[in-house]
Amino acid sequence: FFSRRSEIMFLGDGFTTFVTTILLVAGGYSTYKSIDGSDSDKKHWLTFWMMYGVIQFAEFFLNYMLYWMPFYNELKLGLYVYLAFFDGATKVYELVGKQGFKKAEEGIAQLHEKGMQNEQYKMLSERIESITNKKTN
């Protein structure tokens, strides 16, 4: 039962991990180069890393189910390549990400407003805000 996963992989764990690592290093380097580049480069790489973070967050909760999906690592690798090098991050963000983040932002704002009624939450929130304002000024 537990060996079934290796039978349904085309490239293997080692190879996909290696290629994903190379992809992330290339993405990191491209991000570094975009800092002094055009605004569209900055937006592309910022969007890529945001979408990468969403995938990693979702994968944390869904990993057990996804682990058994045939060709999961290969599909994830293909998604990363699409997001990074075929303007996929911008397309996916415009299609679903923007709306999803907007809804999440509204939900977080409601939770924050509700939390501000609690004294401990309010003190902690004000302390965090004062710290972050000092760093940005």
Side-chain angles (χ1 to χ4, degrees):
F1 179 72
F2 290 107
S3 66
R4 185 172 179 271
R5 183 166 190 277
S6 62
E7 296 169 7
I8 54 177
M9 290 187 69
F10 182 70
L11 300 174
D13 275 332
F15 181 76
T16 54
T17 300
F18 173 75
V19 173
T20 301
T21 301
I22 297 298
L23 173 68
L24 294 177
V25 168
Y29 181 74
S30 296
T31 302
Y32 161 73
K33 295 301 279 184
S34 75
I35 290 171
D36 293 328
S38 70
D39 285 343
S40 66
D41 284 346
K42 291 175 191 173
K43 183 178 179 183
H44 168 75
W45 287 108
L46 182 61
T47 307
F48 168 78
W49 290 114
M50 184 177 62
M51 298 311 297
Y52 176 80
V54 168
I55 293 167
Q56 292 299 302
F57 182 76
E59 188 178 39
F60 176 78
F61 294 102
L62 301 173
N63 191 40
Y64 184 73
M65 290 185 306
L66 296 174
Y67 182 80
W68 295 103
M69 188 174 116
F71 308 110
Y72 168 67
N73 282 335
E74 291 85 350
L75 291 170
K76 184 172 71 169
L77 178 61
L79 177 63
Y80 288 156
V81 169
Y82 172 71
L83 292 175
F85 301 111
F86 294 96
D87 201 30
T90 303
K91 292 173 185 171
V92 171
Y93 175 75
E94 291 295 328
L95 184 65
V96 293
K98 187 184 276 190
Q99 293 172 331
F101 280 107
K102 188 74 170 163
K103 286 181 183 178
E105 183 180 34
E106 292 167 1
I108 291 168
Q110 289 174 356
L111 285 174
H112 177 66
E113 188 176 307
K114 191 174 185 178
M116 289 300 276
Q117 297 170 5
N118 178 292
E119 283 301 313
Q120 289 86 7
Y121 180 92
K122 186 176 181 178
M123 285 177 26
L124 179 61
S125 179
E126 289 170 353
R127 179 68 179 138
I128 291 171
E129 189 174 333
S130 73
I131 291 170
T132 55
N133 285 338
K134 286 179 187 175
K135 289 183 179 180
T136 57
N137 292 334

